[in-house]
Every structure is written in structure tokens, then in C-alpha cells.
Amino acid sequence: MSSEEVLKNASTLASYNVLLQVMFRVLTFLLNAFTLRFVSKELIGVVNVRLSLLYSTLVFLSREAFRKACLSGGSGTNHSWRQVINLLWLTLPLGVLWAILLVSVWLWLLEVPDPHTVPYYGPAVFLFALSGVQELLAEPLWVLAQAHMFLRLKVVAESLAMIAKCSITVVLVVSVREWGLYIFSVAHLVYTGLLVLCYAVYFIRFLGSKEAINKSFPLHRAADLLPCRADGEPLVDRTLARLTWSFFKQSFLKQILTEGERYVMTFLNVLSFGDQGVYDIVNNLGSMVARFIFLPIEESFYIFFAKVLERGRDVRSQKQEEVAIAADVLECLLKLVLVIGLIITVFGYAFSHLALDIYGGSLLSSGAGPTLLRCYSCYVLLLAVNGVTECFVFAAMSQQEVDKYNLVMLALSMSFLLLSYLLTWWAGGVGFILANCLNMGLRILHSLFYIHNYFHSCQWKPLRGLLPSPLLLLALAVSAIITAVSESVFCCDGGWLLRLVHIGIGAVCLLGVLVAVLFTETRLIHFVRTQLLPQYRKKHT
């Protein structure tokens, strides 16, 4: 597959992933707004912080390293798919071990919520762990789908699963709210079960079909999806296994950095369950754009960089045409996420109070809620840049460089936990965001240094993508001033008429910023049209 085809497929995958994440976030957004009216903030805190942390920790530590290793450098070309499948099935026993360990910690070492306020905590812990193990059953199928660019499968499977989860949650919250945590546990179990079912049904029907034969798919029957030893070769590829181990050590540290504030809240009890609920709602609201735009771009273009670049090799010893494409894509991605992040930072500051008041009423808009969301708007900018820079760095690093970076991640993890604890005692929930900003800034600096050295000996300078046009910066600065003044004058206690005036002023400012982008960032606009918009790309092709 040529670099252009890989770029096209990665771009299409990113587009579908963005649409999928938009739907997920909108549904979750509406679901949280709905459940806020029916359940306590303490129960939301336990579900969204304590139990979600259990699930994400189990799943991430069980599969992330395998995903990165098996999707690096085109596993189907450099390794036998039989060995790749065997390696991927190790996620299941690993997940069982993590489930036993984490359930023991969650039940016997952590503070148990008041059963009158948050009923059925014990069974919920078991069910969330079971849902994580259940999802790992689909891991070999997920990697196969990603590696062979089955673009619509993930969208359909996760859409159906998410719709089912939201529907069950709404029905149970309205009809049997006394079930407490059972409501969210059952809904999550259905979500992961339906996800596995969709992948299994698809591949059972696909294998052996004319479409599979025409695509020269490496597996031919459903039995090939199960682990077994092929004649004349080891059970797993040792090089791939060593790379997986390197990524596993890194994923453990990355999980601490990604979910660090939840670990601090869970293990150090710096916030009550109610305050955890409010913080998590604000956190989810603030990270919506980061999750449904930046994360899909990072995941999809990691695959692109991993396939186009040769891991661990000097840039001068690789195909220059492919290096040029990778550098051009990296520059455009950096410019794209930087522009989006700046827009979110500018307008998020002036509309945080209004957004929380509309979403959750005085429960969220009073107290520290607006300040939390304003700080998070600034943090989103760092999230945006870090996602793209790290996706390139992880695709280009050799195994030895990955091992060295693990030491950097260890230092960042320890400093983050310490900063989170200290800053939270000093500034409450805002301290979590400040600690995240500091650590994210250090990660960005490390990635920028690596990228600069990587392209130092060639003509391409992709870090120019971090330099927006002066006119765009001027438009953003003027918009920040105007919207901040508008908020102080019109929002948010003067009724809906004044709120609409504030929204109208913000819309005009946003339009001005978008016009500045359109006229000054022409290369970026061309990249978005030709690579990230599927309908335009088909016409362009």
C-alpha cells in the first residue's frame, strides 16, 4: 500500500472517528444532563470517577501496549498474522489478572460510599470489572479491523453499543432509580457485550466471503481468529513481544498521567464524592472537543505515521517521498489542532458560566464550576498539541528510545501525582487542572525536541505548523477582549434576552476568527478539505 493510500485511509478513518466521537459525546452530554435531574451528585461522582477509573485502568493496561505494537510498521507485512493473533489473545488473561487485583483494591482498600446515598457499590465494582474483561474478547478483531482499514465497522459497532447503553440508562433511571449503581453497571455491561457481538458477527460473516478473497485477507475462516500454533514458527513473534513489553511499561505510566486526577481523588480522598461528581461533569464538558476531535485524529494518524515511517531509522535512510508526506501531514495537523485549541481557549473563557448554567443549573454554575471550566479551556490547547506530537513520536521511536522515554514518563508521573496532591489542597479542583497543564507542557517540550532532532538533517521543518498567522492571532485577541466584556455586562443573571445578546456577540467574533483562518491559513484549509472531509475528498480524487 502506497503512502498516498495509507494517508487517504488514515484520513477517512479520522473523519469517521470524529463523527463517531461527536455522537458519543453528544449522547453522553445529554445523558448526564438528564441523569442530573434524577440522581444525586454523589452517585454520579462514584460512577464517573471511581467505577469508570476501575474500567479504564483495567482495559487500558490490558490492551494499549498490544495495540501499539501490533499496529506498528504494518504487522501483517513484517510479522505473521497467526503470531499477531496469538499475541493479542494474551490481553484476555492479562485482563483477568488486572480485574482480580483492581477489584480487591476497590473493595477492601478504598473508602466505601455511604450505602444509603450510593447503594450497591460492591456488586457494581464486580460488574464494571466484568465489562472490561468482556470487552477484551474483541481485541484481536479490533486490531484486524484497524490494520486493514475496515472504516465503517468501528463506527457501526460503537454507535449501536452506545445507543443501547444510553437507552437502558434512561429507562432504568426513570423507572427504577432505587437500583442505584446497578443502573449504570448493567448499562455498561450491555455496551461492552454488544460491542463484542458486533465485531464477532462481522468477522464470522466476512471470513471466507468473496470480498475477503478479493482483498487477499490473511485469515480464511472463523477458527483462524482463535489462538493456535502454526507449523514451523513460534507461538508469538519475539521481536513483537519485546516491543509490546516496552509499550506496556510506557502505557502504565501514560495511564497515570492521563487519569492522574482520578487516581488522586480515589486514593487520597482530597474531594468528597459530591465534589468529585461536579468536577467530573465539568471535566467531561470541557474535554468534549478534545475527545471527539483531537483523540480520533491522534489514533488515526498514529496508524499513518507508523505505516509510512520506519521505526528507529534515521530520516536520511528512509524513502524521501514518504518522509516528505509525513512531514507535510505533521505540519498541517499541528496547525489544525493549534487553531482549534486557540479558538476553544478564547471562547471557552467567556462562555463557561453560561454553558454550565444551561447544562446543570445552579448546581454547576455556582461555586467553582465556571472557574474550573475556564481553566480547562486553556488546558485543551495543550491537550491538542500534545496529542499530535506524541502520536508522531511514538510512531517514529525505536524500541530503545521507547525504553528511554519510559524513564521520562516515570519522572513526569511522579511529579504529576505530587503536584496534584499539593495543588488540590491549595486550590481545590482547579489544582488538578494546573497540575495537568504543567505536566502536559513538559511532555510537549520533550516531543518538540524529538521532532526537531528527527528532521534536523533534512529540508522539512514540520514544527512551523505551530506558528499561526499574525492576522489570526490579532482576531483571537480582539475576540477574547470583546467576549470577556460582553460576559461581564450581559451574562448571566439578566434573563434570556441578555444571554442571547452575549451569544450573538460571541457568534460574530467567532465568524471573524473563521474568516481570518479562511484567508490566512490557505494550506490548512486545503488539507482539511482534501484529507479530512470524505465527501470533498471523493470529488477531489
Short mmCIF file of all heavy atoms in Angstrom, two decimals, residues 124-146:
data_model
loop_
_atom_site.label_atom_id
_atom_site.label_comp_id
_atom_site.label_asym_id
_atom_site.label_seq_id
_atom_site.Cartn_x
_atom_site.Cartn_y
_atom_site.Cartn_z
N ALA A 124 -21.53 -3.40 41.91
CA ALA A 124 -21.17 -2.53 40.78
C ALA A 124 -19.69 -2.66 40.43
O ALA A 124 -19.31 -2.64 39.25
CB ALA A 124 -21.50 -1.08 41.10
N VAL A 125 -18.83 -2.81 41.45
CA VAL A 125 -17.40 -2.98 41.20
C VAL A 125 -17.17 -4.25 40.38
O VAL A 125 -16.41 -4.25 39.39
CB VAL A 125 -16.62 -3.03 42.53
CG1 VAL A 125 -15.18 -3.47 42.29
CG2 VAL A 125 -16.64 -1.67 43.20
N PHE A 126 -17.83 -5.36 40.78
CA PHE A 126 -17.67 -6.61 40.04
C PHE A 126 -18.18 -6.48 38.60
O PHE A 126 -17.54 -6.97 37.67
CB PHE A 126 -18.44 -7.74 40.75
CG PHE A 126 -17.73 -8.30 41.94
CD1 PHE A 126 -18.14 -7.98 43.23
CD2 PHE A 126 -16.64 -9.15 41.78
CE1 PHE A 126 -17.49 -8.51 44.33
CE2 PHE A 126 -15.98 -9.68 42.89
CZ PHE A 126 -16.40 -9.35 44.17
N LEU A 127 -19.31 -5.84 38.42
CA LEU A 127 -19.90 -5.73 37.08
C LEU A 127 -19.06 -4.85 36.16
O LEU A 127 -18.93 -5.14 34.96
CB LEU A 127 -21.33 -5.20 37.18
CG LEU A 127 -22.35 -6.17 37.80
CD1 LEU A 127 -23.71 -5.51 37.96
CD2 LEU A 127 -22.47 -7.44 36.96
N PHE A 128 -18.50 -3.76 36.67
CA PHE A 128 -17.65 -2.91 35.84
C PHE A 128 -16.37 -3.65 35.44
O PHE A 128 -15.89 -3.52 34.31
CB PHE A 128 -17.32 -1.61 36.57
CG PHE A 128 -18.25 -0.48 36.21
CD1 PHE A 128 -19.49 -0.38 36.79
CD2 PHE A 128 -17.87 0.49 35.29
CE1 PHE A 128 -20.36 0.66 36.47
CE2 PHE A 128 -18.72 1.53 34.95
CZ PHE A 128 -19.97 1.61 35.54
N ALA A 129 -15.81 -4.43 36.39
CA ALA A 129 -14.63 -5.22 36.05
C ALA A 129 -14.97 -6.28 35.02
O ALA A 129 -14.20 -6.53 34.06
CB ALA A 129 -14.05 -5.85 37.31
N LEU A 130 -16.12 -6.92 35.17
CA LEU A 130 -16.56 -7.93 34.20
C LEU A 130 -16.75 -7.33 32.82
O LEU A 130 -16.39 -7.95 31.81
CB LEU A 130 -17.87 -8.57 34.69
CG LEU A 130 -18.49 -9.62 33.76
CD1 LEU A 130 -17.53 -10.79 33.57
CD2 LEU A 130 -19.83 -10.09 34.32
N SER A 131 -17.28 -6.11 32.75
CA SER A 131 -17.47 -5.47 31.45
C SER A 131 -16.14 -5.19 30.77
O SER A 131 -16.02 -5.30 29.54
CB SER A 131 -18.27 -4.17 31.61
OG SER A 131 -17.52 -3.18 32.31
N GLY A 132 -15.11 -4.84 31.56
CA GLY A 132 -13.79 -4.62 30.99
C GLY A 132 -13.20 -5.90 30.41
O GLY A 132 -12.66 -5.90 29.29
N VAL A 133 -13.30 -7.00 31.16
CA VAL A 133 -12.79 -8.29 30.67
C VAL A 133 -13.58 -8.72 29.43
O VAL A 133 -13.01 -9.23 28.46
CB VAL A 133 -12.89 -9.35 31.77
CG1 VAL A 133 -12.51 -10.73 31.23
CG2 VAL A 133 -11.99 -8.99 32.95
N GLN A 134 -14.87 -8.49 29.45
CA GLN A 134 -15.72 -8.85 28.32
C GLN A 134 -15.31 -8.11 27.05
O GLN A 134 -15.25 -8.70 25.95
CB GLN A 134 -17.18 -8.54 28.65
CG GLN A 134 -18.16 -8.87 27.54
CD GLN A 134 -19.60 -8.65 27.99
OE1 GLN A 134 -20.35 -9.59 28.19
NE2 GLN A 134 -19.98 -7.40 28.15
N GLU A 135 -14.96 -6.83 27.17
CA GLU A 135 -14.56 -6.05 26.01
C GLU A 135 -13.26 -6.56 25.39
O GLU A 135 -13.05 -6.46 24.17
CB GLU A 135 -14.42 -4.58 26.38
CG GLU A 135 -14.15 -3.67 25.19
CD GLU A 135 -14.20 -2.20 25.54
OE1 GLU A 135 -14.72 -1.87 26.64
OE2 GLU A 135 -13.73 -1.38 24.73
N LEU A 136 -12.39 -7.14 26.21
CA LEU A 136 -11.12 -7.65 25.70
C LEU A 136 -11.30 -8.84 24.75
O LEU A 136 -10.38 -9.18 24.00
CB LEU A 136 -10.20 -8.05 26.86
CG LEU A 136 -9.74 -6.91 27.77
CD1 LEU A 136 -8.96 -7.45 28.95
CD2 LEU A 136 -8.90 -5.90 27.00
N LEU A 137 -12.46 -9.47 24.78
CA LEU A 137 -12.73 -10.57 23.85
C LEU A 137 -12.69 -10.11 22.40
O LEU A 137 -12.43 -10.90 21.49
CB LEU A 137 -14.10 -11.19 24.16
CG LEU A 137 -14.22 -11.97 25.47
CD1 LEU A 137 -15.69 -12.30 25.74
CD2 LEU A 137 -13.39 -13.24 25.42
N ALA A 138 -12.94 -8.84 22.17
CA ALA A 138 -12.96 -8.30 20.81
C ALA A 138 -11.62 -7.72 20.37
O ALA A 138 -11.51 -7.21 19.25
CB ALA A 138 -14.04 -7.22 20.69
N GLU A 139 -10.59 -7.80 21.22
CA GLU A 139 -9.34 -7.11 20.91
C GLU A 139 -8.66 -7.60 19.64
O GLU A 139 -8.24 -6.78 18.81
CB GLU A 139 -8.39 -7.20 22.11
CG GLU A 139 -7.22 -6.25 22.05
CD GLU A 139 -7.64 -4.80 21.91
OE1 GLU A 139 -8.76 -4.45 22.35
OE2 GLU A 139 -6.87 -4.01 21.35
N PRO A 140 -8.51 -8.91 19.41
CA PRO A 140 -7.91 -9.34 18.14
C PRO A 140 -8.70 -8.84 16.93
O PRO A 140 -8.12 -8.49 15.90
CB PRO A 140 -7.94 -10.87 18.24
CG PRO A 140 -7.98 -11.15 19.71
CD PRO A 140 -8.80 -10.05 20.30
N LEU A 141 -10.01 -8.82 17.05
CA LEU A 141 -10.86 -8.38 15.95
C LEU A 141 -10.70 -6.88 15.72
O LEU A 141 -10.69 -6.41 14.57
CB LEU A 141 -12.32 -8.72 16.24
CG LEU A 141 -12.61 -10.17 16.65
CD1 LEU A 141 -14.10 -10.37 16.87
CD2 LEU A 141 -12.07 -11.13 15.61
N TRP A 142 -10.57 -6.12 16.80
CA TRP A 142 -10.39 -4.67 16.67
C TRP A 142 -9.08 -4.35 15.95
O TRP A 142 -9.05 -3.49 15.06
CB TRP A 142 -10.39 -4.02 18.06
CG TRP A 142 -10.36 -2.52 18.04
CD1 TRP A 142 -11.43 -1.68 18.05
CD2 TRP A 142 -9.19 -1.68 17.99
NE1 TRP A 142 -11.01 -0.37 18.01
CE2 TRP A 142 -9.64 -0.34 17.97
CE3 TRP A 142 -7.83 -1.93 17.95
CZ2 TRP A 142 -8.76 0.75 17.93
CZ3 TRP A 142 -6.95 -0.85 17.89
CH2 TRP A 142 -7.42 0.46 17.89
N VAL A 143 -8.00 -5.02 16.32
CA VAL A 143 -6.71 -4.76 15.68
C VAL A 143 -6.75 -5.16 14.21
O VAL A 143 -6.23 -4.45 13.34
CB VAL A 143 -5.58 -5.51 16.43
CG1 VAL A 143 -4.27 -5.43 15.66
CG2 VAL A 143 -5.39 -4.92 17.82
N LEU A 144 -7.38 -6.30 13.90
CA LEU A 144 -7.54 -6.70 12.50
C LEU A 144 -8.29 -5.62 11.71
O LEU A 144 -7.90 -5.28 10.59
CB LEU A 144 -8.30 -8.02 12.42
CG LEU A 144 -7.50 -9.32 12.58
CD1 LEU A 144 -8.45 -10.50 12.68
CD2 LEU A 144 -6.55 -9.51 11.41
N ALA A 145 -9.37 -5.11 12.29
CA ALA A 145 -10.16 -4.09 11.60
C ALA A 145 -9.37 -2.82 11.38
O ALA A 145 -9.43 -2.20 10.31
CB ALA A 145 -11.43 -3.81 12.40
N GLN A 146 -8.61 -2.39 12.39
CA GLN A 146 -7.82 -1.18 12.25
C GLN A 146 -6.69 -1.35 11.23
O GLN A 146 -6.46 -0.48 10.39
CB GLN A 146 -7.22 -0.79 13.60
CG GLN A 146 -8.22 -0.32 14.64
CD GLN A 146 -8.82 1.03 14.29
OE1 GLN A 146 -9.96 1.12 13.83
NE2 GLN A 146 -8.08 2.09 14.51
#
